[in-house]
Amino acid sequence: MVPARFRLSARLGAGLSVLALLGGPVGALAQAIPAGPAGPASAPVPPLAVPVPVPPAAAPEPSKISEPKPLDSSKTSESRPIEAKSSEAKPPEAPKKSREPAPLVYAKVSTDPTPTLTARTFLDTLKVADRYAAFAEAGGWERLPDDLIRLKPGERSPAIPSLRHHLTLTGDLPADAPPSDRLDPPLVSAIAAFQGRHGLPDSGILGRLTINALNVPAATRQRQLAASASRLIGSKFPFGERYVVVNIPSANVEAVENGAVARRYVAVVGSPDKATPTVETRITDINFNPTWTVPASVVKNEIIPQMRKNPGYLARNHIRILGPTGEVDPTKINWAGDKAVNYTLRQDSGFDNSLGQVRIDMPNRFAVYMHDTPAKSLFSAAVRFHSHGCVRVGQVKELVGWLLQGTDGPNGPGTSWGPIEIETGIADGERRDIKLVKPVPVTFVYLTGYATPDGRAHFRDDIYNLDTPAPAPEPAATGAIQPAGAAQPVATPKPAAVKPAAPKAAVAKPAAAKAAASKVTAVKPATEGLNPETPQPSR
């Protein structure tokens, strides 16, 4: 039979073990236990009382083990929940370190289904030009003060009647609207309609850009309409069931089907020093994963200076140099001179290719086209005149899907090119050319003022300064006519300049059209331009 004192020690030892595991006040209980005589039964008790070992920094004596160990166990029991909390706090930090690309943002485009260009645009624009000439002859509209920018809906201003008069003339405010000096809801709606006709966000709020547009004189608006109409003289564009229009000053692309805009996209067009030309042609092919052959002007003006500063520029941008016998090592070329323009520089296809993943091929003498771009952030800007002359299209794959309607898909007759098929065709990284079964007419136009069949006039900024008449050559050459500045007001579009709009346009048409063509031709070699791999040379 086991002596009673050994049974008591065993019970107390077992109890201490449970308390230690639960993190209870083991230290006080351990001090209450008298030290029993040394023996084989009492030796195992201390290890059972504290399951967590003492740190090896200080090896305590056997008689003091019961005191430090409970303290360590309490610290350990406190530190464990903290570690658990820190481990729970790590998952929320993971999203902060995520490097996923931000969603693409595109500038807002109009949802109006009326196309910018139809077979009636020329005549409709001439009619509206006559109406604006009458506005100018009658004195136009008053200039609005800048303090209208701070006006909020419902507030009053002495300039509101002038604003109402202007918007009534232009058809944005109904003629039977009650007079008021308050910015009331009907007037807010009229402001939004005015903004929509001028390519501005139709918020109905009088911002700086809206005030600037309202303060453009009626004579200037008439000149925009007359000049745009003159640029349409002689057009032979084949309007049909399906066609594409790029209005350069608007910087957008319209896919027109059955007389209505099926899709409208933001675009990036040529900068003023690298103007996008006006063209009329047909879209014949779609190129997946295109390469880009760098125009000689870009080689001379951009790449050679870059190579002088950074010899690794070509390799970093995946541009290879091709000579008559094959690829040329960039280190073998003397970049101090201009001999590099005698070689062909070609950028490999890929995500960083200047043409992006898609090119829309359209034969024309300027060698311009529409394409994708890796610089998609530009599509979110309100002003988008940054390219070398070609047209970069936002959401270009959607436009490609519309163009490929009716063309057999990748799996043969009876299949189509949907979003999945287009992405799959691009994903393999191989160059692929798809010929449209029926070419789609496309035109690039320069309309700073145009009218739609409903009689509304639309205006855009004259970014290339094509509407401004050139100075008369005789005074500029001889200086014989002193009041040359006074002669120009006579030539400015006062009413007399409007009535003969058609004759004047006919006279000005060759000069306007050819001036635009010559201007663009001079800058066009520096565009995204001529690619020897495309069918262009054989055309």
Side-chain angles (χ1 to χ4, degrees), residues 103-132:
L104 296 177
V105 178
Y106 296 94
K108 184 180 178 181
V109 295
S110 172
T111 57
D112 186 353
T114 306
T116 295
L117 184 69
T118 67
R120 295 181 47 182
T121 300
F122 172 70
L123 292 178
D124 290 339
T125 302
L126 283 181
K127 292 178 182 177
V128 175
D130 287 343
R131 190 167 78 237
Y132 273 75

PDB file of all heavy atoms in Angstrom, residues 103-132:
ATOM      1  N   PRO A 103      -7.478  49.426 -63.265  1.00  0.00           N
ATOM      2  CA  PRO A 103      -8.413  49.299 -64.396  1.00  0.00           C
ATOM      3  C   PRO A 103      -8.255  50.469 -65.357  1.00  0.00           C
ATOM      4  O   PRO A 103      -7.999  51.600 -64.951  1.00  0.00           O
ATOM      5  CB  PRO A 103      -9.790  49.304 -63.712  1.00  0.00           C
ATOM      6  CG  PRO A 103      -9.562  49.936 -62.380  1.00  0.00           C
ATOM      7  CD  PRO A 103      -8.167  49.560 -61.977  1.00  0.00           C
ATOM      8  N   LEU A 104      -8.420  50.171 -66.645  1.00  0.00           N
ATOM      9  CA  LEU A 104      -8.267  51.205 -67.659  1.00  0.00           C
ATOM     10  C   LEU A 104      -9.429  52.190 -67.581  1.00  0.00           C
ATOM     11  O   LEU A 104     -10.577  51.806 -67.359  1.00  0.00           O
ATOM     12  CB  LEU A 104      -8.223  50.564 -69.049  1.00  0.00           C
ATOM     13  CG  LEU A 104      -7.032  49.648 -69.320  1.00  0.00           C
ATOM     14  CD1 LEU A 104      -7.153  49.014 -70.698  1.00  0.00           C
ATOM     15  CD2 LEU A 104      -5.728  50.413 -69.212  1.00  0.00           C
ATOM     16  N   VAL A 105      -9.102  53.457 -67.759  1.00  0.00           N
ATOM     17  CA  VAL A 105     -10.098  54.512 -67.723  1.00  0.00           C
ATOM     18  C   VAL A 105     -10.112  55.197 -69.083  1.00  0.00           C
ATOM     19  O   VAL A 105      -9.058  55.550 -69.621  1.00  0.00           O
ATOM     20  CB  VAL A 105      -9.790  55.537 -66.608  1.00  0.00           C
ATOM     21  CG1 VAL A 105     -10.823  56.657 -66.620  1.00  0.00           C
ATOM     22  CG2 VAL A 105      -9.761  54.850 -65.250  1.00  0.00           C
ATOM     23  N   TYR A 106     -11.307  55.363 -69.638  1.00  0.00           N
ATOM     24  CA  TYR A 106     -11.445  56.014 -70.935  1.00  0.00           C
ATOM     25  C   TYR A 106     -12.265  57.291 -70.774  1.00  0.00           C
ATOM     26  O   TYR A 106     -13.212  57.340 -69.977  1.00  0.00           O
ATOM     27  CB  TYR A 106     -12.141  55.089 -71.940  1.00  0.00           C
ATOM     28  CG  TYR A 106     -11.356  53.840 -72.256  1.00  0.00           C
ATOM     29  CD1 TYR A 106     -11.585  52.655 -71.556  1.00  0.00           C
ATOM     30  CD2 TYR A 106     -10.366  53.844 -73.232  1.00  0.00           C
ATOM     31  CE1 TYR A 106     -10.859  51.516 -71.833  1.00  0.00           C
ATOM     32  CE2 TYR A 106      -9.641  52.706 -73.517  1.00  0.00           C
ATOM     33  CZ  TYR A 106      -9.890  51.540 -72.815  1.00  0.00           C
ATOM     34  OH  TYR A 106      -9.168  50.414 -73.084  1.00  0.00           O
ATOM     35  N   ALA A 107     -11.893  58.304 -71.511  1.00  0.00           N
ATOM     36  CA  ALA A 107     -12.659  59.542 -71.487  1.00  0.00           C
ATOM     37  C   ALA A 107     -14.080  59.274 -71.972  1.00  0.00           C
ATOM     38  O   ALA A 107     -14.323  58.405 -72.815  1.00  0.00           O
ATOM     39  CB  ALA A 107     -11.986  60.593 -72.369  1.00  0.00           C
ATOM     40  N   LYS A 108     -15.001  60.025 -71.421  1.00  0.00           N
ATOM     41  CA  LYS A 108     -16.402  59.831 -71.782  1.00  0.00           C
ATOM     42  C   LYS A 108     -16.650  60.298 -73.209  1.00  0.00           C
ATOM     43  O   LYS A 108     -16.160  61.344 -73.632  1.00  0.00           O
ATOM     44  CB  LYS A 108     -17.298  60.610 -70.816  1.00  0.00           C
ATOM     45  CG  LYS A 108     -18.787  60.400 -71.060  1.00  0.00           C
ATOM     46  CD  LYS A 108     -19.620  61.204 -70.074  1.00  0.00           C
ATOM     47  CE  LYS A 108     -21.107  61.023 -70.358  1.00  0.00           C
ATOM     48  NZ  LYS A 108     -21.942  61.817 -69.417  1.00  0.00           N
ATOM     49  N   VAL A 109     -17.391  59.496 -73.956  1.00  0.00           N
ATOM     50  CA  VAL A 109     -17.766  59.868 -75.316  1.00  0.00           C
ATOM     51  C   VAL A 109     -19.282  59.992 -75.388  1.00  0.00           C
ATOM     52  O   VAL A 109     -20.013  59.438 -74.568  1.00  0.00           O
ATOM     53  CB  VAL A 109     -17.270  58.829 -76.349  1.00  0.00           C
ATOM     54  CG1 VAL A 109     -15.761  58.797 -76.404  1.00  0.00           C
ATOM     55  CG2 VAL A 109     -17.817  57.438 -76.032  1.00  0.00           C
ATOM     56  N   SER A 110     -19.739  60.725 -76.371  1.00  0.00           N
ATOM     57  CA  SER A 110     -21.170  60.949 -76.541  1.00  0.00           C
ATOM     58  C   SER A 110     -21.888  59.648 -76.879  1.00  0.00           C
ATOM     59  O   SER A 110     -21.349  58.776 -77.578  1.00  0.00           O
ATOM     60  CB  SER A 110     -21.403  61.975 -77.652  1.00  0.00           C
ATOM     61  OG  SER A 110     -22.778  62.075 -77.964  1.00  0.00           O
ATOM     62  N   THR A 111     -23.089  59.519 -76.386  1.00  0.00           N
ATOM     63  CA  THR A 111     -23.931  58.362 -76.718  1.00  0.00           C
ATOM     64  C   THR A 111     -24.939  58.699 -77.804  1.00  0.00           C
ATOM     65  O   THR A 111     -25.829  57.894 -78.091  1.00  0.00           O
ATOM     66  CB  THR A 111     -24.667  57.868 -75.459  1.00  0.00           C
ATOM     67  OG1 THR A 111     -25.440  58.948 -74.903  1.00  0.00           O
ATOM     68  CG2 THR A 111     -23.674  57.374 -74.412  1.00  0.00           C
ATOM     69  N   ASP A 112     -24.810  59.877 -78.393  1.00  0.00           N
ATOM     70  CA  ASP A 112     -25.721  60.294 -79.468  1.00  0.00           C
ATOM     71  C   ASP A 112     -25.528  59.365 -80.668  1.00  0.00           C
ATOM     72  O   ASP A 112     -24.411  59.232 -81.189  1.00  0.00           O
ATOM     73  CB  ASP A 112     -25.409  61.740 -79.853  1.00  0.00           C
ATOM     74  CG  ASP A 112     -26.406  62.298 -80.858  1.00  0.00           C
ATOM     75  OD1 ASP A 112     -27.253  61.532 -81.347  1.00  0.00           O
ATOM     76  OD2 ASP A 112     -26.333  63.505 -81.162  1.00  0.00           O
ATOM     77  N   PRO A 113     -26.589  58.728 -81.144  1.00  0.00           N
ATOM     78  CA  PRO A 113     -26.429  57.804 -82.280  1.00  0.00           C
ATOM     79  C   PRO A 113     -26.255  58.500 -83.625  1.00  0.00           C
ATOM     80  O   PRO A 113     -26.030  57.828 -84.640  1.00  0.00           O
ATOM     81  CB  PRO A 113     -27.730  56.991 -82.245  1.00  0.00           C
ATOM     82  CG  PRO A 113     -28.729  57.914 -81.629  1.00  0.00           C
ATOM     83  CD  PRO A 113     -27.975  58.748 -80.627  1.00  0.00           C
ATOM     84  N   THR A 114     -26.350  59.830 -83.648  1.00  0.00           N
ATOM     85  CA  THR A 114     -26.222  60.547 -84.918  1.00  0.00           C
ATOM     86  C   THR A 114     -24.762  60.597 -85.346  1.00  0.00           C
ATOM     87  O   THR A 114     -23.910  61.073 -84.593  1.00  0.00           O
ATOM     88  CB  THR A 114     -26.762  61.981 -84.786  1.00  0.00           C
ATOM     89  OG1 THR A 114     -28.099  61.938 -84.284  1.00  0.00           O
ATOM     90  CG2 THR A 114     -26.743  62.691 -86.125  1.00  0.00           C
ATOM     91  N   PRO A 115     -24.429  60.129 -86.555  1.00  0.00           N
ATOM     92  CA  PRO A 115     -23.029  60.153 -87.002  1.00  0.00           C
ATOM     93  C   PRO A 115     -22.521  61.567 -87.232  1.00  0.00           C
ATOM     94  O   PRO A 115     -23.278  62.493 -87.550  1.00  0.00           O
ATOM     95  CB  PRO A 115     -23.054  59.350 -88.311  1.00  0.00           C
ATOM     96  CG  PRO A 115     -24.357  58.616 -88.314  1.00  0.00           C
ATOM     97  CD  PRO A 115     -25.308  59.465 -87.524  1.00  0.00           C
ATOM     98  N   THR A 116     -21.224  61.739 -87.082  1.00  0.00           N
ATOM     99  CA  THR A 116     -20.596  63.026 -87.405  1.00  0.00           C
ATOM    100  C   THR A 116     -20.690  63.312 -88.888  1.00  0.00           C
ATOM    101  O   THR A 116     -20.924  64.460 -89.296  1.00  0.00           O
ATOM    102  CB  THR A 116     -19.123  63.002 -86.972  1.00  0.00           C
ATOM    103  OG1 THR A 116     -19.057  62.880 -85.546  1.00  0.00           O
ATOM    104  CG2 THR A 116     -18.379  64.243 -87.410  1.00  0.00           C
ATOM    105  N   LEU A 117     -20.528  62.281 -89.707  1.00  0.00           N
ATOM    106  CA  LEU A 117     -20.482  62.453 -91.157  1.00  0.00           C
ATOM    107  C   LEU A 117     -21.498  61.534 -91.823  1.00  0.00           C
ATOM    108  O   LEU A 117     -21.496  60.324 -91.596  1.00  0.00           O
ATOM    109  CB  LEU A 117     -19.079  62.153 -91.686  1.00  0.00           C
ATOM    110  CG  LEU A 117     -18.858  62.393 -93.177  1.00  0.00           C
ATOM    111  CD1 LEU A 117     -18.903  63.884 -93.495  1.00  0.00           C
ATOM    112  CD2 LEU A 117     -17.525  61.803 -93.628  1.00  0.00           C
ATOM    113  N   THR A 118     -22.357  62.140 -92.633  1.00  0.00           N
ATOM    114  CA  THR A 118     -23.288  61.390 -93.477  1.00  0.00           C
ATOM    115  C   THR A 118     -23.241  62.005 -94.868  1.00  0.00           C
ATOM    116  O   THR A 118     -22.538  62.987 -95.122  1.00  0.00           O
ATOM    117  CB  THR A 118     -24.727  61.462 -92.931  1.00  0.00           C
ATOM    118  OG1 THR A 118     -25.214  62.807 -93.050  1.00  0.00           O
ATOM    119  CG2 THR A 118     -24.779  61.036 -91.464  1.00  0.00           C
ATOM    120  N   ALA A 119     -24.019  61.450 -95.780  1.00  0.00           N
ATOM    121  CA  ALA A 119     -24.069  62.001 -97.133  1.00  0.00           C
ATOM    122  C   ALA A 119     -24.681  63.399 -97.147  1.00  0.00           C
ATOM    123  O   ALA A 119     -24.491  64.165 -98.112  1.00  0.00           O
ATOM    124  CB  ALA A 119     -24.859  61.059 -98.036  1.00  0.00           C
ATOM    125  N   ARG A 120     -25.395  63.781 -96.070  1.00  0.00           N
ATOM    126  CA  ARG A 120     -26.043  65.093 -96.013  1.00  0.00           C
ATOM    127  C   ARG A 120     -25.209  66.140 -95.279  1.00  0.00           C
ATOM    128  O   ARG A 120     -25.603  67.312 -95.222  1.00  0.00           O
ATOM    129  CB  ARG A 120     -27.396  64.964 -95.289  1.00  0.00           C
ATOM    130  CG  ARG A 120     -28.421  64.119 -96.002  1.00  0.00           C
ATOM    131  CD  ARG A 120     -29.712  64.102 -95.187  1.00  0.00           C
ATOM    132  NE  ARG A 120     -30.115  65.441 -94.741  1.00  0.00           N
ATOM    133  CZ  ARG A 120     -31.188  65.676 -93.989  1.00  0.00           C
ATOM    134  NH1 ARG A 120     -31.938  64.663 -93.580  1.00  0.00           N
ATOM    135  NH2 ARG A 120     -31.491  66.912 -93.629  1.00  0.00           N
ATOM    136  N   THR A 121     -24.111  65.771 -94.706  1.00  0.00           N
ATOM    137  CA  THR A 121     -23.375  66.690 -93.835  1.00  0.00           C
ATOM    138  C   THR A 121     -22.946  67.958 -94.561  1.00  0.00           C
ATOM    139  O   THR A 121     -23.009  69.061 -93.991  1.00  0.00           O
ATOM    140  CB  THR A 121     -22.152  65.981 -93.240  1.00  0.00           C
ATOM    141  OG1 THR A 121     -22.594  64.849 -92.474  1.00  0.00           O
ATOM    142  CG2 THR A 121     -21.360  66.903 -92.341  1.00  0.00           C
ATOM    143  N   PHE A 122     -22.510  67.842 -95.791  1.00  0.00           N
ATOM    144  CA  PHE A 122     -22.035  69.017 -96.525  1.00  0.00           C
ATOM    145  C   PHE A 122     -23.135  70.068 -96.651  1.00  0.00           C
ATOM    146  O   PHE A 122     -22.952  71.240 -96.274  1.00  0.00           O
ATOM    147  CB  PHE A 122     -21.521  68.603 -97.908  1.00  0.00           C
ATOM    148  CG  PHE A 122     -21.183  69.757 -98.813  1.00  0.00           C
ATOM    149  CD1 PHE A 122     -20.086  70.562 -98.558  1.00  0.00           C
ATOM    150  CD2 PHE A 122     -21.988  70.058 -99.906  1.00  0.00           C
ATOM    151  CE1 PHE A 122     -19.779  71.633 -99.379  1.00  0.00           C
ATOM    152  CE2 PHE A 122     -21.692  71.126-100.737  1.00  0.00           C
ATOM    153  CZ  PHE A 122     -20.585  71.916-100.467  1.00  0.00           C
ATOM    154  N   LEU A 123     -24.304  69.671 -97.154  1.00  0.00           N
ATOM    155  CA  LEU A 123     -25.393  70.628 -97.340  1.00  0.00           C
ATOM    156  C   LEU A 123     -25.941  71.118 -96.004  1.00  0.00           C
ATOM    157  O   LEU A 123     -26.235  72.316 -95.853  1.00  0.00           O
ATOM    158  CB  LEU A 123     -26.514  69.982 -98.164  1.00  0.00           C
ATOM    159  CG  LEU A 123     -26.170  69.670 -99.634  1.00  0.00           C
ATOM    160  CD1 LEU A 123     -27.341  68.985-100.324  1.00  0.00           C
ATOM    161  CD2 LEU A 123     -25.775  70.943-100.378  1.00  0.00           C
ATOM    162  N   ASP A 124     -26.072  70.233 -95.034  1.00  0.00           N
ATOM    163  CA  ASP A 124     -26.565  70.651 -93.716  1.00  0.00           C
ATOM    164  C   ASP A 124     -25.628  71.673 -93.088  1.00  0.00           C
ATOM    165  O   ASP A 124     -26.081  72.642 -92.455  1.00  0.00           O
ATOM    166  CB  ASP A 124     -26.690  69.432 -92.793  1.00  0.00           C
ATOM    167  CG  ASP A 124     -27.829  68.506 -93.198  1.00  0.00           C
ATOM    168  OD1 ASP A 124     -28.743  68.969 -93.913  1.00  0.00           O
ATOM    169  OD2 ASP A 124     -27.798  67.322 -92.810  1.00  0.00           O
ATOM    170  N   THR A 125     -24.332  71.494 -93.270  1.00  0.00           N
ATOM    171  CA  THR A 125     -23.363  72.425 -92.690  1.00  0.00           C
ATOM    172  C   THR A 125     -23.431  73.785 -93.370  1.00  0.00           C
ATOM    173  O   THR A 125     -23.322  74.830 -92.709  1.00  0.00           O
ATOM    174  CB  THR A 125     -21.946  71.839 -92.784  1.00  0.00           C
ATOM    175  OG1 THR A 125     -21.911  70.574 -92.109  1.00  0.00           O
ATOM    176  CG2 THR A 125     -20.917  72.758 -92.149  1.00  0.00           C
ATOM    177  N   LEU A 126     -23.621  73.810 -94.679  1.00  0.00           N
ATOM    178  CA  LEU A 126     -23.745  75.086 -95.381  1.00  0.00           C
ATOM    179  C   LEU A 126     -24.978  75.857 -94.903  1.00  0.00           C
ATOM    180  O   LEU A 126     -24.934  77.082 -94.717  1.00  0.00           O
ATOM    181  CB  LEU A 126     -23.831  74.849 -96.886  1.00  0.00           C
ATOM    182  CG  LEU A 126     -22.515  74.508 -97.604  1.00  0.00           C
ATOM    183  CD1 LEU A 126     -22.770  74.319 -99.088  1.00  0.00           C
ATOM    184  CD2 LEU A 126     -21.475  75.601 -97.388  1.00  0.00           C
ATOM    185  N   LYS A 127     -26.085  75.149 -94.688  1.00  0.00           N
ATOM    186  CA  LYS A 127     -27.304  75.817 -94.224  1.00  0.00           C
ATOM    187  C   LYS A 127     -27.091  76.442 -92.846  1.00  0.00           C
ATOM    188  O   LYS A 127     -27.486  77.580 -92.594  1.00  0.00           O
ATOM    189  CB  LYS A 127     -28.461  74.818 -94.176  1.00  0.00           C
ATOM    190  CG  LYS A 127     -28.925  74.332 -95.541  1.00  0.00           C
ATOM    191  CD  LYS A 127     -30.034  73.300 -95.395  1.00  0.00           C
ATOM    192  CE  LYS A 127     -30.473  72.764 -96.759  1.00  0.00           C
ATOM    193  NZ  LYS A 127     -31.502  71.705 -96.615  1.00  0.00           N
ATOM    194  N   VAL A 128     -26.466  75.703 -91.962  1.00  0.00           N
ATOM    195  CA  VAL A 128     -26.237  76.223 -90.613  1.00  0.00           C
ATOM    196  C   VAL A 128     -25.219  77.358 -90.650  1.00  0.00           C
ATOM    197  O   VAL A 128     -25.303  78.314 -89.857  1.00  0.00           O
ATOM    198  CB  VAL A 128     -25.793  75.085 -89.669  1.00  0.00           C
ATOM    199  CG1 VAL A 128     -25.425  75.638 -88.293  1.00  0.00           C
ATOM    200  CG2 VAL A 128     -26.900  74.057 -89.537  1.00  0.00           C
ATOM    201  N   ALA A 129     -24.260  77.301 -91.575  1.00  0.00           N
ATOM    202  CA  ALA A 129     -23.303  78.401 -91.711  1.00  0.00           C
ATOM    203  C   ALA A 129     -24.022  79.698 -92.074  1.00  0.00           C
ATOM    204  O   ALA A 129     -23.672  80.782 -91.580  1.00  0.00           O
ATOM    205  CB  ALA A 129     -22.247  78.055 -92.754  1.00  0.00           C
ATOM    206  N   ASP A 130     -25.037  79.594 -92.929  1.00  0.00           N
ATOM    207  CA  ASP A 130     -25.822  80.785 -93.265  1.00  0.00           C
ATOM    208  C   ASP A 130     -26.548  81.314 -92.029  1.00  0.00           C
ATOM    209  O   ASP A 130     -26.645  82.540 -91.835  1.00  0.00           O
ATOM    210  CB  ASP A 130     -26.836  80.455 -94.364  1.00  0.00           C
ATOM    211  CG  ASP A 130     -26.187  80.280 -95.729  1.00  0.00           C
ATOM    212  OD1 ASP A 130     -25.034  80.727 -95.882  1.00  0.00           O
ATOM    213  OD2 ASP A 130     -26.816  79.688 -96.625  1.00  0.00           O
ATOM    214  N   ARG A 131     -27.051  80.427 -91.215  1.00  0.00           N
ATOM    215  CA  ARG A 131     -27.758  80.880 -90.007  1.00  0.00           C
ATOM    216  C   ARG A 131     -26.812  81.594 -89.049  1.00  0.00           C
ATOM    217  O   ARG A 131     -27.164  82.625 -88.478  1.00  0.00           O
ATOM    218  CB  ARG A 131     -28.429  79.681 -89.329  1.00  0.00           C
ATOM    219  CG  ARG A 131     -29.365  80.091 -88.214  1.00  0.00           C
ATOM    220  CD  ARG A 131     -30.253  78.950 -87.756  1.00  0.00           C
ATOM    221  NE  ARG A 131     -29.553  78.027 -86.890  1.00  0.00           N
ATOM    222  CZ  ARG A 131     -29.429  76.732 -87.127  1.00  0.00           C
ATOM    223  NH1 ARG A 131     -29.940  76.207 -88.238  1.00  0.00           N
ATOM    224  NH2 ARG A 131     -28.806  75.957 -86.268  1.00  0.00           N
ATOM    225  N   TYR A 132     -25.618  81.065 -88.900  1.00  0.00           N
ATOM    226  CA  TYR A 132     -24.654  81.720 -88.014  1.00  0.00           C
ATOM    227  C   TYR A 132     -24.153  83.026 -88.608  1.00  0.00           C
ATOM    228  O   TYR A 132     -23.773  83.943 -87.866  1.00  0.00           O
ATOM    229  CB  TYR A 132     -23.491  80.775 -87.712  1.00  0.00           C
ATOM    230  CG  TYR A 132     -23.759  79.883 -86.528  1.00  0.00           C
ATOM    231  CD1 TYR A 132     -24.617  78.797 -86.628  1.00  0.00           C
ATOM    232  CD2 TYR A 132     -23.171  80.122 -85.293  1.00  0.00           C
ATOM    233  CE1 TYR A 132     -24.887  77.976 -85.548  1.00  0.00           C
ATOM    234  CE2 TYR A 132     -23.427  79.318 -84.197  1.00  0.00           C
ATOM    235  CZ  TYR A 132     -24.290  78.242 -84.339  1.00  0.00           C
ATOM    236  OH  TYR A 132     -24.558  77.444 -83.254  1.00  0.00           O
TER     237      TYR A 132
END
